[in-house]
Amino acid sequence: MKDKKSLIIYFSRADENYAVGYIDKGNTEYVAEYVRDLTGADMFKVEPLIPYAKDYDTCIKEAKMRIGNAPIKEEIGDISTYEVIYIMSPIYWGTYAPEVETAIKDLDFTNKIIRVVTTHEGSGLANVVDDVKRICKGANVLDDAIAIKGTEAKNSKTKIESWI
């Protein structure tokens, strides 16, 4: 995969995270940066139009209310020149963050290879791979998805390197 033009589409949230406490950079962002460093991929950070609350409990309530309606600051645009797309997100309510679906739902994934990465504290991949397959019509969503515990994200470079 290292020789293919790649794009990382990721959502990551700083502030209070489950089992990690308050952080300056989200767990998924660490992992996305490792993938970028190992593959040379371009990165697109999906950001909510309205930021989440800083505390975890309020954030998860807000995320649940945004399912199916999660506006984002910026659209991704044309992905036609990319061969491999990495979709990365923490687990929110059994799948990717609602903003990820907003970002990817209208893109043309025909003939793209998609690799999935999640960060979590016990949910693993949850339903993310199936949801990506449902949304990314025409893509080859690989079954080699990887789940990284949030508490291990900062130190996951070796694990990501083996996966790449």
Side-chain angles (χ1 to χ4, degrees):
M1 297 292 164
K2 290 181 181 180
D3 62 334
K4 298 184 182 304
K5 186 168 181 183
S6 302
L7 174 66
I8 298 164
I9 299 170
Y10 76 101
F11 177 91
S12 192
R13 182 183 163 276
D15 301 320
E16 186 180 21
N17 274 227
Y18 183 79
V20 183
Y22 279 89
I23 54 178
D24 294 327
K25 184 191 304 190
N27 299 316
T28 308
E29 191 160 357
Y30 283 106
V31 178
E33 288 171 349
Y34 294 146
V35 172
R36 177 202 59 207
D37 294 347
L38 293 164
T39 65
D42 294 333
M43 292 177 67
F44 182 89
K45 184 175 185 178
V46 177
E47 297 184 75
L49 183 62
I50 301 165
Y52 284 105
K54 293 185 181 295
D55 71 285
Y56 179 78
D57 289 336
T58 305
C59 171
I60 60 170
K61 290 174 187 170
E62 291 171 344
K64 191 170 190 179
M65 292 186 326
R66 293 182 189 185
I67 294 171
N69 182 25
I72 57 177
K73 283 185 181 180
E74 180 183 355
E75 301 294 321
I76 295 172
D78 182 19
I79 62 168
S80 63
T81 62
Y82 295 102
E83 297 173 83
V84 178
I85 310 286
Y86 294 88
I87 297 177
M88 303 181 180
S89 177
I91 300 297
Y92 278 32
W93 300 105
T95 191
Y96 41 62
E99 289 78 8
V100 171
E101 184 155 326
T102 300
I104 67 175
K105 68 181 180 182
D106 294 324
L107 297 176
D108 182 2
F109 286 99
T110 304
N111 298 320
K112 305 294 181 204
I113 297 168
I114 296 182
R115 300 186 82 190
V116 174
V117 179
T118 66
T119 56
H120 67 96
E121 280 306 326
S123 301
L125 293 167
N127 297 314
V128 174
V129 175
D130 289 339
D131 290 340
V132 167
K133 287 178 179 179
R134 176 180 52 82
I135 292 292
C136 301
K137 306 257 188 271
N140 177 16
V141 180
L142 300 185
D143 290 326
D144 71 344
I146 188 169
I148 306 288
K149 286 192 80 166
T151 51
E152 299 169 3
K154 278 187 183 180
N155 301 310
S156 66
K157 188 171 186 176
T158 302
K159 187 172 186 176
I160 294 298
E161 190 169 27
S162 296
W163 176 71
I164 296 287

